[in-house]
Amino acid sequence: MYDVLVEAPKVTNGNVTGYNVIWHPTRKFAVDMAGYAVNLNVILNSTAVFGTSCQRGKGSPETCFLDDLCLEREDIEPFGCEGEVIIT
């Protein structure tokens, strides 16, 4: 039915290089809202709003929120893994 049993970022040498997800894997931030944390200072020093009205990122509120925080993929700090993680 699905090609992915576990959705997760692809990590190479401690850097997120892509996402192993079913829904629109080419999104800038292909993450579920339960799968990430943001430093509270970053949020408090921004005007970012989390909601479903955003049309960027295939309509993904997570992508819009993280994008509105002026974050880039290089800003992601994966944890809980060492070296390379590619789930296929």
Side-chain angles (χ1 to χ4, degrees), residues 12-77:
T12 304
N13 297 322
N15 298 308
V16 174
T17 57
Y19 301 95
N20 192 33
V21 298
I22 295 170
W23 187 71
H24 297 294
T26 58
R27 290 176 285 154
K28 182 177 179 180
F29 297 104
V31 298
D32 184 278
M33 62 187 149
Y36 67 90
V38 178
N39 184 306
L40 184 57
N41 288 324
V42 173
I43 295 171
L44 293 176
N45 291 313
S46 77
T47 58
V49 177
F50 185 86
T52 58
S53 63
C54 179
Q55 296 305 307
R56 291 173 285 133
K58 308 291 186 193
S60 167
E62 297 87 358
T63 296
C64 288
F65 180 64
L66 296 171
D67 204 24
D68 288 348
L69 291 172
C70 299
L71 298 175
E72 299 294 332
R73 183 181 289 173
E74 296 79 29
D75 296 320
I76 297 174
E77 298 178 26

